[in-house]
Each structure stands twice: as C-alpha cells, then as structure tokens.
Amino acid sequence: MSLSQCAESRGVYGLPWLTGLLVLTAVGLSLAFGPAPPALVFDRAAIAQGEWWRLVTGHLLHSDGEHALWDITALALIGWVMERHGRWPMILAAAAGMAAVDAGLWWWLPGLERYCGLSGMLNTLFIIALANLWEEHRHPVIPLVVLGLAAKLAIEITVRQSLFVHTPWSSVPEAHVAGCIGAIIFLGVERLFLRPRNIGGHEAQTTQPANY
C-alpha cells in the first residue's frame, strides 16, 4: 500500500477541509494584501537577506485578480482529487512542489528577481493526482492528459507565455516545468521508500492506522 493509498484503507475520505483551508488562505491573502504585495512575493534580493517566508508566501499570492481566479479554482479542483488519497500525502506533495519551484527559480533562472503564483506548485499536485488516478482506474484518457500537459509546457517554453492566463507580470513557464520535476521526484521517493516491501511476491500490509 502506497502512502497515497492510506486514506483508502480507512474506507472513508471525509470532507476536503484541507483543500478548503488552502483555498481560503489564498483568497484571504489576495483580499487582505492585494495583488503581489512586495513584502510577501518571491523576491531574490530579500530572500538572500534572510526573508525565507517568501519561499512559501510567494506561491499563495497573485499578480492580479484573473491570475488569482484561475490558480485558486485549479487548486480547489486538484486539491479535492489529491485529498481523497490522504491529507498528509497532499501536504507533502505541496511542500515538494513549492521546494522544486523555488529551487528552479533560484538556480535555473538566476536573473529572475520576483515571482508569485500557485501554478508551479499546482503542476506538482496535478501530476501526482494523475498518477494516483492511473493506479486506481488505468483509464486511457489519463495518458492523453499527460501528453497534453507535456505539449502545453513545450509550447509555453517556446513562446515564453502561459497559454491560458495573461498577467501583468511576465510568464515563467520554467516554474511549471520545475513543478512537474518535483512531482516526478516525489513519486519516485514515495514508491522507493514509502511503500512496504514485497514479501513472497505480495505487497506487505501495515496494521498501523492512517491518521489523516
């Protein structure tokens, strides 16, 4: 049983309150501070001076209302799918996505000074959600969605513009790619280290309850 399947072992999923909390947090920050508040966005110079909170808050803020609407709507939908497989897996996946995007911005784009938005981390959650759905259903539409996402990323990198959202700040398609890389790393770690060992050709079952 994988980490992402722990919730299923309980037989219930419950209300997606974690997703609701994240959505409310993002909405609340947008309403309270407005578009791209200078004290909270990813700012390279400020982070270098020790303002580490920007590595988290920068993902929850947006450059304008349209940007926020698209990202927060996507968070609600993808989060609902992710949370069905457990809240801790979702929390760890979101953290992995933020870390991957932050690393990509810092080392891949050393000339980038400021960034904000959920879309990079959402790509992490989206890829992991698709992997979970594939394990459950093996539906042929899922590989097509993955191919569509790969094509979207390739186009965005080529034209240097997000396909669906136009914001006052320049698009950073590399953040989307970094988010996908974070998902691949997360899935690899989960399958290598967080799944029980096979015993006698059968997957070992844990007797510990899932505390989600």
Side-chain angles (χ1 to χ4, degrees), residues 48-127:
Q49 294 174 2
E51 297 183 10
W52 301 103
W53 64 83
R54 296 171 179 271
L55 297 172
V56 175
T57 58
H59 296 278
L60 299 173
L61 298 161
H62 299 86
S63 57
D64 67 359
E66 179 186 358
H67 188 199
L69 178 62
W70 276 94
D71 276 4
I72 295 172
T73 300
L75 173 63
L77 296 173
I78 298 170
W80 176 75
V81 175
M82 279 289 300
E83 194 166 346
R84 291 177 62 248
H85 294 84
R87 295 189 180 103
W88 272 113
M90 180 176 169
I91 291 170
L92 294 174
M98 289 183 183
V101 173
D102 288 334
L105 297 175
W106 193 266
W107 284 292
W108 189 3
L109 298 172
L112 181 73
E113 293 298 325
R114 296 196 304 164
Y115 170 87
C116 65
L118 279 164
S119 58
M121 185 268 285
L122 286 175
N123 276 270
T124 304
L125 296 184
F126 188 42
I127 290 292

Side-chain angles (χ1 to χ4, degrees), residues 149-159 177:
L149 176 61
K152 172 182 175 292
L153 292 174
I155 293 171
E156 288 178 339
I157 288 288
T158 301
V159 303
V177 176

Side-chain angles (χ1 to χ4, degrees), residues 165-191:
V165 184
H166 300 282
T167 70
W169 288 19
S170 299
S171 296
V172 187
E174 290 88 352
H176 300 171
V177 176
C180 292
I181 293 172
I184 294 169
I185 294 173
F186 178 90
L187 290 168
V189 170
E190 181 192 32
R191 281 149 180 73

